[in-house]
Amino acid sequence: MSPSRLGSWFLPVGLTLLTGLLSAAAARAEGVVDRVARSGELVLVGHPDQAPMLSLDVQGRPVGYAMEVANRIAAELALAAGRPVRLRFEPVADPADLGQRLVGGQADLACGVPFTWERDITLDYSLPFGLSGLRLLAPAGRLDGSPQSLAGRRIGVVANSLGETELKGIQPKAQPVGFADLSQAVAALQGGSVDGVIGDSTLLAGLVAGGKGAALAQTPSEPYERYAVACLVHENDSAFRNLVNLAIARLLQGYLDGQPEAVSAIDRWVGPGSALNRTPDQIRNYFDAVLLGVEALRPLPAQAGSAPTRPTAP
């Protein structure tokens, strides 16, 4: 992100907003680890229509790559608390409300969330466990994703999103068409009312998986922007963030070490044959890069040779 773009949103935040948010965080004297040790419950929030990160199965249960991570975080908390921990999922339709629920102490965790500097002001991010970016979805062969190909075209975007901002910078002569969410934008593309959609490449892949968009393709080959995907936690709650990071590091290290359970869990959502269809080498290279900044977990502490028991969400 360029300094000019960084300043465009940072300056209007103002001292009043920052002071109020910091006061709300300070008011939560009880950290997540202590609260979960007392209640036995960890509250996860997220949008329920963001496959392969997070969605609901036919029984209405939350599933996805983010849930794999959240289950492991709950398992780490169970070890720390010395008691079973129930992971409770609460769906949140509005992305803005997701952050507010965490800042206000009404939820403990959100996973599968793209990194933004704006959110990092009021909340903390975990180690990343995925990589995504902004790309263009359009009928195969119609647009190549270049600025020239977008001129005069009706391009679907999520209103007030990074995709909308990026489109204005890529091609000011494009015609942005705002939608409430990415699924509505893709539906409009499939219906022919827009020429393409710019959005998160991971979510776009999930929306057109399973043959629902066989004639659609993402371009360009390199995303307009890349960003990490991680978990959001309360600001300045280091005890909880440490456990979250340990759970993520265990999962990534388990994949690198070839642990069957870790490999199966990750490949199901992002590996060969999945909506994202990442190769093992692509996954390993990214996990290696993430873990370069931390100590290798060999053997895994406290549970050498085994992973924590995973709870399930209702």
Side-chain angles (χ1 to χ4, degrees):
M1 182 179 294
S2 68
S4 61
R5 287 184 56 196
L6 184 64
S8 68
W9 58 258
F10 184 84
L11 291 177
V13 168
L15 293 176
T16 302
L17 176 58
L18 285 175
T19 301
L21 293 170
L22 291 172
S23 297
R28 297 193 305 268
E30 186 179 41
V32 171
V33 176
D34 291 334
R35 183 164 61 255
V36 171
R38 173 176 53 79
S39 69
E41 183 174 79
L42 178 70
V43 180
L44 172 75
V45 290
H47 195 294
D49 188 21
Q50 294 192 328
M53 282 295 165
L54 188 60
S55 61
L56 302 180
D57 65 12
V58 293
Q59 284 82 36
R61 297 172 300 190
V63 295
Y65 189 24
M67 282 302 300
E68 295 287 350
V69 173
N71 277 321
R72 285 164 171 77
I73 293 168
E76 288 293 344
L77 276 168
L79 288 171
R83 62 167 297 175
V85 172
R86 173 177 177 259
L87 179 63
R88 177 162 61 88
F89 173 67
E90 292 187 355
V92 174
D94 186 349
D97 188 43
L98 183 148
Q100 292 167 5
R101 297 274 283 276
L102 286 165
V103 170
Q106 299 162 327
D108 304 313
L109 181 70
C111 290
V113 182
F115 179 91
T116 70
W117 287 109
E118 184 173 10
R119 269 190 172 146
D120 196 45
I121 292 176
T122 56
L123 295 163
D124 283 336
Y125 281 89
S126 69
L127 281 175
F129 56 86
L131 183 68
S132 192
L134 285 176
R135 297 181 75 193
L136 174 75
L137 182 71
R142 175 184 294 178
L143 304 173
D144 62 11
S146 66
Q148 295 83 357
S149 71
L150 301 177
R153 298 285 192 167
R154 289 172 55 83
I155 305 298
V157 295
V158 176
N160 302 313
S161 69
L162 179 61
E164 182 178 35
T165 302
E166 189 75 11
L167 177 61
K168 293 175 181 176
I170 296 170
Q171 179 50 267
K173 294 182 180 179
Q175 301 175 32
V177 181
F179 295 90
D181 57 44
L182 206 54
S183 62
Q184 292 183 22
V186 171
L189 173 63
Q190 293 169 327
S193 60
V194 296
D195 298 306
V197 172
I198 283 185
D200 183 277
S201 60
T202 297
L203 302 184
L204 288 173
L207 286 168
V208 300
K212 292 180 290 184
L216 300 176
Q218 289 195 46
T219 56
S221 56
E222 290 297 319
Y224 300 117
E225 285 200 21
R226 290 185 185 272
Y227 40 76
V229 175
C231 291
L232 274 175
V233 298
H234 295 169
E235 179 98 281
N236 299 325
D237 190 344
S238 61
F240 180 49
R241 185 169 181 265
N242 289 343
L243 287 176
V244 170
N245 284 344
L246 180 58
I248 292 172
R250 285 190 200 278
L251 177 60
L252 273 55
Q253 188 72 64
Y255 187 95
L256 293 173
D257 290 346
Q259 292 180 2
E261 198 272 343
V263 172
S264 175
I266 290 172
D267 278 352
R268 178 185 179 188
W269 303 110
V270 303
S274 70
L276 296 185
N277 200 34
R278 300 288 187 261
T279 68
D281 281 346
Q282 288 175 321
I283 297 171
R284 283 194 295 266
N285 289 341
Y286 181 68
F287 287 178
D288 268 330
V290 171
L291 295 178
L292 278 176
V294 299
E295 177 189 6
L297 296 174
R298 294 197 174 100
L300 300 183
Q303 296 85 34
S306 64
T309 302
R310 296 170 54 203
T312 57

